Amino acid sequence: MVHSIVIGAGMVGLATAWHLQERGVEVTVLDRTGVAAGSSWGNAGWLTPGKAIPLADPSLWTYGPKALIDPDAALHVPFRVDATLWTFLAQFAAHGTHRAWDRTMAALTPIDKIALACFDELTDGGVDSWTREGPFVIGFPEEAHAKGFLREIAGVERHGQSVPLERLENPQELAPQLSPAVKAAYRLDGQRFLEPWPFMKALGEAVVVRGATLRTGADVIDVTGGAEPSVTLSSGERIAADSVVIATGAWMPKLARRFGVRTRVQAGRGYSFTVETTDPAEHPVYLPAQRIACTPYEGRFRIAGTMEFRGPDEVLQPRRIQAIINQSRTLLQGVDLDNRQDEWVGSRPVTPDGLPLVGATRADGVYVAGGHGMWGIVLGPATGKLLAEQIVTGRTDPAIAPFNPLR
């Protein structure tokens, strides 16, 4: 293996490039926009393997119908005639059972367990950025609202992870941004966070310093496998290599479907913005009942939320930003929600069964890496490491075996 092309400069693509370099492979990274241009830029930056869990669970059957008629709900599906979208939603809902949750959680647990160590490998290996321990402060308007969250944590621990959690009597000591309307709170440890753009910028720079060619504005319109894998750009240019990795997130089906990757990938769009706070924000805050995640970010407070099922290239919907504001206003204090910066929408690649798509396709020399849903940041470095091993050695690590893209 001499030369590999990686399509996509998000966390998964750049981590794959970095680990291919670790194995002596020359790498070219192509992206139609730039580093972290998709869902890697404006996310909450949570490195929480203890929360990298199946998106569909039995609560979907009660929460989903209510969300469809609540304009402020975190889950949003536009009312439109779209057979592809509604087919995906039917498949997604079918996995909202206890049995499916356990099956998916069992498949995610091995990669969850190595996720944080893989970040250390990057930063120890020259990526000039940081990851930071929590604690994470989890808040609820009522004690009864905590039942679902506690049940999820118990399920994660049942599958073999350690997720330290303890009740907080005075959560404002750690997170003064929580208002008195928060009646129950917990401290979650053993997890980390980062600032997404600074980390991604540093990762991209490290890949280039190590010898990679990183081309932005490179729109790949076709991929060819076989004896001489190659890509074709919209300009007509063709680039050949020994292998090609498609790591294009929610856009993966455009290039990968004809290689046997039939699992649907739907854009589950998340929104975020940053605000000033009266007191410095030092720790991440999570409001599970509202599905809102908050993180210290470059001296401000990033507030993120929403799972909006739309096309990946559709424009930002201001009403989704307003929904996050409406849901969080009474639960936060000392937070200037009316003076927002960095309003953003990003398309997370969601699969119906909650499992990523990582590995070889039907075409020799063509691989895919994506479909992580909300967990592309935390699982990206581990994915890149294990996929690079498969590309170079032919060995499939058991941790990614359940993610077979031909399933």
Side-chain angles (χ1 to χ4, degrees):
M1 184 63 59
V2 178
H3 179 212
S4 184
I5 296 171
V6 177
I7 310 169
M11 176 64 87
V12 174
L14 288 177
T16 303
W18 195 92
H19 280 287
L20 284 167
Q21 292 176 313
E22 284 287 278
R23 293 179 172 273
V25 179
E26 178 187 348
V27 180
T28 298
V29 180
L30 306 173
D31 195 283
R32 66 174 180 171
T33 305
V35 171
S39 58
S40 293
W41 188 87
N43 63 85
W46 285 21
L47 310 183
T48 51
K51 282 296 294 170
I53 62 176
L55 292 180
D57 65 30
S59 70
L60 182 66
W61 293 99
T62 53
Y63 176 75
K66 295 177 183 178
L68 291 176
I69 59 175
D70 181 358
D72 288 337
L75 175 64
H76 179 72
V77 181
F79 288 102
R80 59 173 59 163
V81 178
D82 186 336
T84 299
L85 173 60
W86 290 102
T87 299
F88 166 83
L89 291 173
Q91 295 174 347
F92 183 76
H95 287 86
T97 67
H98 291 293
R99 179 177 295 181
W101 193 96
D102 278 319
R103 184 170 58 247
T104 302
M105 191 68 242
L108 289 171
T109 296
I111 198 169
D112 283 351
K113 285 183 173 182
I114 66 172
L116 296 183
C118 289
F119 277 91
D120 294 336
E121 196 166 351
L122 293 178
T123 54
D124 292 345
V127 177
D128 187 18
S129 194
W130 52 262
T131 68
R132 190 168 298 163
E133 295 279 350
F136 287 65
V137 182
I138 320 298
F140 302 91
E142 303 291 343
E143 182 66 53
H145 295 170
K147 291 181 179 179
F149 176 81
L150 297 177
R151 184 171 57 250
E152 288 175 352
I153 296 298
V156 171
E157 292 198 315
R158 187 176 69 251
H159 281 275
Q161 290 192 64
S162 174
V163 190
L165 188 71
E166 64 177 86
R167 179 69 184 263
L168 286 174
E169 296 304 324
N170 186 8
Q172 286 77 17
E173 289 183 357
L174 289 174
Q177 293 75 31
L178 288 177
S179 78
V182 173
K183 303 299 184 183
Y186 293 80
R187 171 183 175 140
L188 177 67
D189 285 293
Q191 320 294 307
R192 305 186 201 172
F193 67 98
L194 52 71
E195 293 179 339
W197 168 238
F199 192 96
M200 293 302 305
K201 182 174 180 288
L203 178 55
E205 290 171 350
V207 167
V208 171
V209 166
R210 288 152 58 99
T213 299
L214 173 58
R215 293 179 56 177
T216 59
D219 184 15
V220 177
I221 61 172
D222 190 36
V223 175
T224 302
E228 188 181 54
S230 66
V231 303
T232 303
L233 306 184
S234 57
S235 64
E237 180 183 359
R238 178 179 175 273
I239 308 172
D242 299 292
S243 64
V244 175
V245 179
I246 302 170
T248 51
W251 295 267
M252 179 190 291
K254 292 182 179 180
L255 295 175
R257 186 168 178 79
R258 70 186 185 92
F259 300 121
V261 184
R262 302 295 184 181
T263 299
R264 293 182 182 274
V265 179
Q266 169 64 43
R269 308 199 318 165
Y271 286 74
S272 72
F273 52 86
T274 65
V275 294
E276 293 183 348
T277 59
T278 302
D279 296 304
E282 298 182 1
H283 304 294
V285 170
Y286 184 34
L287 304 172
Q290 291 72 33
R291 276 78 167 178
I292 291 174
C294 310
T295 317
Y297 184 80
E298 296 191 319
R300 295 171 65 84
F301 204 40
R302 173 168 282 176
I303 300 178
T306 295
M307 176 63 75
E308 179 193 43
F309 290 126
R310 282 183 182 267
D313 291 312
E314 293 189 48
V315 299
L316 181 149
Q317 304 292 312
R319 184 62 185 83
R320 305 321 311 150
I321 296 284
Q322 189 60 48
I324 297 173
I325 296 167
N326 293 347
Q327 289 275 21
S328 61
R329 191 178 291 277
T330 62
L331 300 175
L332 299 177
Q333 63 181 2
V335 174
D336 190 356
L337 292 170
D338 298 319
N339 183 21
R340 301 179 299 278
Q341 295 181 14
D342 307 317
E343 291 189 349
W344 171 89
V345 60
S347 295
R348 300 167 296 205
V350 181
T351 61
D353 61 6
L355 293 178
L357 300 164
V358 182
T361 70
R362 288 179 182 167
D364 289 344
V366 178
Y367 301 80
V368 297
H372 294 79
M374 295 173 64
W375 319 124
I377 289 292
V378 61
L379 299 183
T383 295
K385 179 177 182 177
L386 301 182
L387 180 59
E389 177 187 10
Q390 183 185 29
I391 293 170
V392 174
T393 71
R395 175 183 178 270
T396 300
D397 190 283
I400 59 169
F403 309 156
N404 183 350
L406 302 180
R407 64 181 184 270

